[in-house]
Amino acid sequence: MNKVRTRFAPSPTGSLHIGGLRTALYAYALAKHENGDFILRIEDTDKKREVTGSREKIEELLTLFGLKWDEHYVQSERVEKGIYKKAAEKLEKSGYAYNEGGAIRLKIPKNEKVGFHDFVLNKDIKWDTNTLEDLVLLKSDGFPTYHLAVVVDDNDMKISHVLRGHDWMPSTPIHLLVYKYLGLPLPEIGHLTDILDPDGGKLSKRKGSTTCEALLKEGYLPEAILNFIMLLGWAPKDNKELFSLDEFVKAFDPSGFQKANPIFNREKLDWFNGQYIRQLPDKELNSRLKTQDSRLAELSEDKQLAITSLVKDRIKKLSEFRKLAGFFFEWQKPAPRMFGRYYKDHLAAAINAIEEGKSLENVPKEKRFKVGDFFMDLRIAIAGSKFTPPINDSIMILGKDETIKRLKKISS
Ligand code: GLU
């Protein structure tokens, strides 16, 4: 068998979406599973749609997710070498393309069938050429369109398996004709299923982030995002769910491609993220949390780690850190309506116990308070919220003085 060579071929026209990352991941795994090569090809022939910086961002993200490419190409650089022009002229000379207004167009034949076997969907797909239109292959400015460049490059770069999103299916019959007319062998071609919103329809950002950058900013770990998308269109033979990239590559086998469109289940993504957060060593988690909230870095190392370990079991996203632990850095006097009926008694008793170095646990029994009510008032007083890490640990980190200061400001 020839070496497996796959490619990811993004156009630098905007942010890398979760679907794009999935295509890159599957292409990477397909190649690496067979010790093959993974190629990154920047498809920047549509200069009007190009977004400055997006190429660099895509490369940075692929690197962050660990999808290392073995070779890297940029189509605009190949334009300068006249590679596409030569192919277009060859088609023109042999009568499969014609010149119109300075552009070279593919001549679609009448009453023919074109088809291929999709290796992802495991299905034969056919088109009637009467449903297709003559399309531009080479623009008047000498730049190729996607249809020409993709075929020429996949062939030149010896791509054995073309993997792309389902959106590109309508372009495939055009490519099939170009392959045929240029006398090139067909690679394996596969189209990945669409990722759906839980409410149906294609994934959209109405319900939340769908770009890699936005998800990272929200506090999802790259490991968790990657693990989540591994299973959005592929399933292992067993029910294993947690995969590192290496484990995924080992397990990856095209027979695991799913035929049904996967659903972007945010609860599942949260679950993965929680798993990965808890797997991180405290020190590592601490440094990632500092990128979310720079105030953490201002504390002593001991305190930083103590706070990190307190929130570790409780957050699903790094961005929740501010909500959960913000009170360590900043305190606002809670409105009286937040408290229960007996809060003044509760807080006074707590101040006493802390000042005398007694355990808070015994206070409710001694004073005949309801345990839950007592600690809830204390929580609200110290943190301004009903949802905090365990209150005793939090007081230890805040320190006796700061705690008493806060309590007194409320009860006075
Ligand atoms: N440049 C196309 C894209 O941005 C590549 C499609 C393909 O992989 O053939 O998705």
Side-chain angles (χ1 to χ4, degrees):
M1 190 167 113
N2 287 337
K3 196 167 195 188
V4 173
R5 284 170 60 85
T6 63
R7 53 33 167 214
F8 179 51
S11 302
T13 51
S15 311
L16 181 62
H17 278 257
I18 209 75
L21 181 67
R22 183 188 61 163
T23 306
L25 169 70
Y26 288 174
Y28 175 87
L30 194 66
K32 293 299 157 187
H33 182 75
E34 301 288 342
N35 286 320
D37 298 326
F38 173 62
I39 284 126
L40 176 61
R41 183 172 73 223
I42 304 295
E43 301 208 325
D44 61 341
T45 55
D46 192 347
K47 289 292 168 193
K48 282 197 293 293
R49 290 185 55 226
E50 190 163 338
V51 173
T52 321
S54 111
R55 166 185 162 182
E56 289 75 10
K57 195 76 216 172
I58 292 169
E59 293 172 358
E60 188 187 308
L61 285 166
L62 292 178
T63 307
L64 176 78
F65 286 105
L67 305 179
K68 276 196 232 115
W69 52 89
D70 300 288
E71 291 164 36
H72 181 282
Y73 301 93
V74 180
Q75 283 185 333
S76 59
E77 291 169 8
R78 291 168 55 75
V79 170
E80 289 163 26
K81 296 186 182 143
I83 292 170
Y84 309 109
K85 189 161 177 266
K86 217 170 104 194
E89 284 170 358
K90 186 173 170 198
L91 289 170
E92 198 190 349
K93 271 201 200 99
S94 42
Y96 295 119
Y98 59 94
N99 220 303
E100 192 187 71
I104 298 183
R105 267 177 199 270
L106 179 69
K107 193 193 288 172
I108 302 284
K110 291 269 168 279
N111 308 320
E112 281 186 26
K113 298 262 186 290
V114 280
F116 78 112
H117 182 80
D118 190 296
F119 80 94
V120 171
L121 305 171
N122 194 16
K123 187 164 129 187
D124 289 326
I125 300 180
K126 270 203 183 80
W127 289 266
D128 182 329
T129 55
N130 294 343
T131 64
L132 309 173
E133 283 172 30
D134 291 3
L135 283 175
V136 173
L137 297 176
L138 195 79
K139 293 177 275 185
S140 53
D141 60 5
F143 272 73
T145 58
Y146 161 65
H147 304 298
L148 178 65
V150 76
V151 172
V152 169
D153 282 356
D154 283 339
N155 180 71
D156 277 3
M157 295 165 197
K158 300 191 169 46
I159 301 301
S160 62
H161 294 71
V162 167
L163 201 57
R164 61 177 161 239
H166 208 269
D167 287 3
W168 298 100
M169 185 69 96
S171 304
T172 301
I174 308 291
H175 305 172
L176 296 175
L177 290 171
V178 177
Y179 273 106
K180 185 170 147 195
Y181 297 155
L182 285 173
L184 305 175
L186 211 59
E188 295 284 337
I189 301 176
H191 295 82
L192 295 169
T193 46
D194 281 331
I195 303 175
L196 301 184
D197 246 354
D199 298 347
K202 273 186 73 174
L203 184 62
S204 80
K205 62 177 178 210
R206 262 176 304 130
K207 296 277 152 50
S209 314
T210 55
T211 66
C212 298
E213 234 183 314
L215 289 167
L216 290 165
K217 203 160 152 215
E218 253 186 66
Y220 290 103
L221 305 186
E223 303 88 316
I225 299 175
L226 206 60
N227 198 154
F228 172 65
I229 61 165
M230 283 171 191
L231 305 176
L232 275 187
W234 181 87
K237 294 200 175 66
D238 49 17
N239 286 329
K240 188 172 152 76
E241 284 193 299
L242 291 170
F243 290 91
S244 67
L245 181 55
D246 284 347
E247 288 167 343
F248 181 66
V249 164
K250 240 186 224 140
F252 193 82
D253 157 359
S255 69
F257 278 127
Q258 303 292 288
K259 312 288 174 281
N261 292 331
I263 291 171
F264 191 88
N265 178 340
R266 287 181 192 274
E267 286 86 52
K268 190 80 199 185
L269 174 58
D270 285 351
W271 179 82
F272 273 114
N273 209 44
Q275 297 292 315
Y276 279 93
I277 285 177
R278 290 185 250 307
Q279 270 180 30
L280 285 181
D282 285 5
K283 272 207 154 149
E284 175 59 32
L285 178 58
N286 185 50
S287 59
R288 298 202 200 191
L289 288 174
K290 280 192 271 194
T291 65
Q292 291 282 324
D293 193 331
S294 57
R295 294 173 301 181
L296 185 58
E298 289 159 21
L299 303 178
S300 71
E301 173 106 11
D302 282 358
K303 277 201 178 170
Q304 287 184 30
L305 289 174
I307 295 176
T308 297
S309 106
L310 270 197
V311 299
K312 193 173 181 177
D313 290 337
R314 291 172 181 80
I315 53 174
K316 292 196 292 288
K317 290 189 251 184
L318 299 184
S319 55
E320 288 165 358
F321 178 76
R322 279 177 166 264
K323 207 172 127 212
L324 199 65
F327 72 94
F328 285 115
F329 316 108
E330 202 177 339
W331 183 77
Q332 267 170 358
K333 193 171 166 179
R337 65 181 155 74
M338 288 180 73
F339 291 103
R341 201 162 149 198
Y342 304 111
Y343 80 100
K344 288 211 168 168
D345 297 340
H346 292 161
L347 301 188
I351 292 172
N352 255 328
I354 297 171
E355 278 178 341
E356 288 171 20
K358 289 193 200 145
S359 154
L360 288 167
E361 300 302 324
N362 301 329
V363 174
K365 207 161 110 207
E366 266 172 31
K367 301 277 185 183
R368 296 167 172 257
F369 295 152
K370 280 195 181 150
V371 182
D373 293 354
F374 170 70
F375 280 106
M376 188 51 85
D377 282 338
L378 203 53
R379 213 176 263 285
I380 294 167
I382 292 169
S385 152
K386 293 183 180 172
F387 308 100
T388 67
I391 198 69
N392 284 315
D393 295 318
S394 302
I395 291 175
M396 294 253 284
I397 294 173
L398 265 184
K400 219 167 138 174
D401 293 350
E402 175 63 22
T403 306
I404 290 175
K405 201 168 102 195
R406 290 184 184 187
L407 296 179
K408 281 191 172 161
K409 275 195 188 148
I410 297 167
S411 33
S412 63

